[in-house]
Amino acid sequence: MGNLTHITTIILSGYIEIGNIKYFCFTILTLLFVAVLVANQLLIVVICRESSLHEPMYVFLCSLSVNELYGSIAVFPLLLSNMLLSKPPEIALTLCYVQIFALYTYGSVEFSNLAVMSYDRYVAICYPLEYHRIMSPTRIVTLIALVWSISMIKFSINLFLNAQLQLCGNVLDKVYCDNYMLAKLSCSETTANSIAGIIGITLTIFAPLGIILFSYTKILRVCSKSTRETIQKAVSTCVPHFVSLLNFSIGCSFEIIQSRFDKLPMPPVLRVILSIYFLICPPLVNPIMYGIRLSKIKRAIKKCIYRSVWIKPLSK
């Protein structure tokens, strides 16, 4: 037992042997990762550069894209490099904790950001004349700062408690580090960690969910008494948000169910795909969907591309 308490590396055994197909999978994942980087960076640059997009909804969308870059970068470079190894990768325990911190704060910020975006839509639709007074620049900055700081502080506490645990094993059946499964390898008392985890789940899931349900309830009530034009305007801005919320929630549900119920009968390849769904689909779908659905962003992207392709070369 004495030797088991000095574990310094973690073996990720979730990688499966698929022969030369791994090079095809590596290429596909690399292309998806590059697409995530390009799509989100383009959206961030367009929102920052275009003064017409300096409105609350687009600022929150920019925060969402920053977080999706953060979550993808936390996993994909290591995931892609590990795919090409001939044996299950072994990574430093410290690096494992860093990845866990990045993943869990990514999830918390994403869900909280979506909650703030739903509140923004609620104010815009239910109080249109007071919208700019309520959603002032100070309040926007405060909400974004709270979303990020609460997520960071909250999981710093959880991670500190987990780092105190003595591990009796070092094999995780995952392709990246997972907090819950790492805690299951512990041979010490985990009561404090469980309590902190319950509080963390409440703040991460139920508090934002309460805001989202409240906002959409109020929006539906107003729409039921409004004109067709008002309803169409509400739908045009709420549909992308709802799709983003649904997409991310589905991805997180896959991951939570797999972690908690690791004995579920499932092909290994499908298990891996579902475990990285929430790191691929939301970061890729969101910027594309918002770019297509929101006319202001679509026009700003076209304007930005036109400037880059035509105006800059002519100026030279």
Side-chain angles (χ1 to χ4, degrees), residues 51-285:
S51 57
S52 62
L53 298 180
H54 294 173
E55 297 178 10
M57 180 173 70
Y58 303 110
V59 175
F60 294 136
L61 180 57
C62 184
S63 173
L64 193 74
S65 283
V66 169
N67 183 55
E68 286 167 350
L69 282 177
Y70 165 66
S72 298
I73 291 170
V75 170
F76 275 97
L78 191 61
L79 176 69
L80 291 169
S81 62
N82 289 339
M83 281 183 68
L84 299 179
L85 299 177
S86 58
K87 61 179 182 178
E90 189 171 358
I91 67 171
L93 182 59
T94 303
L95 180 58
C96 194
Y97 281 129
V98 170
Q99 190 177 68
I100 288 171
F101 179 81
L103 277 174
Y104 278 72
T105 49
Y106 156 71
S108 178
V109 170
E110 187 86 354
F111 210 22
S112 300
N113 210 124
L114 288 168
V116 169
M117 290 172 75
S118 71
Y119 172 74
D120 171 71
R121 291 300 82 208
Y122 153 67
V123 175
I125 294 167
C126 299
Y127 302 97
L129 299 179
E130 299 179 69
Y131 177 66
H132 290 289
R133 181 186 64 80
I134 297 172
M135 300 304 294
S136 63
T138 302
R139 179 161 293 184
I140 294 168
V141 172
T142 302
L143 287 172
I144 292 175
L146 284 174
V147 164
W148 283 85
S149 59
I150 289 175
S151 297
M152 297 291 176
I153 293 168
K154 175 182 62 183
F155 199 71
S156 293
I157 296 170
N158 284 65
L159 195 62
F160 173 77
L161 291 172
N162 284 357
Q164 310 307 308
L165 297 175
Q166 294 181 334
L167 302 180
C168 294
N170 71 333
V171 179
L172 289 180
D173 187 21
K174 300 281 287 185
V175 294
Y176 53 78
C177 292
D178 179 89
N179 188 56
Y180 177 77
M181 294 185 73
L182 191 64
K184 283 171 67 176
L185 297 177
S186 168
C187 47
S188 53
E189 179 58 46
T190 59
T191 303
N193 303 72
S194 299
I195 294 171
I198 292 170
I199 295 172
I201 288 173
T202 301
L203 292 174
T204 301
I205 298 176
F206 295 109
L209 187 60
I211 296 171
I212 292 167
L213 290 175
F214 169 82
S215 299
Y216 273 106
T217 301
K218 293 291 185 180
I219 289 170
L220 288 172
R221 186 173 297 174
V222 168
C223 286
S224 66
K225 303 174 184 177
S226 300
T227 62
R228 177 173 292 183
E229 184 181 349
T230 303
I231 294 172
Q232 288 176 342
K233 186 178 178 181
V235 168
S236 67
T237 57
C238 288
V239 166
H241 175 267
F242 184 75
V243 172
S244 297
L245 176 64
L246 190 63
N247 192 21
F248 186 69
S249 299
I250 290 171
C252 287
S253 298
F254 286 152
E255 176 55 19
I256 291 170
I257 291 170
Q258 281 192 91
S259 296
R260 268 49 176 184
F261 306 100
D262 51 7
K263 298 301 182 184
L264 284 176
M266 190 182 300
V269 174
L270 180 60
R271 184 181 293 275
V272 172
I273 292 172
L274 293 181
S275 70
I276 61 174
Y277 177 95
F278 79 114
L279 293 163
I280 294 178
C281 287
L284 184 59
V285 170

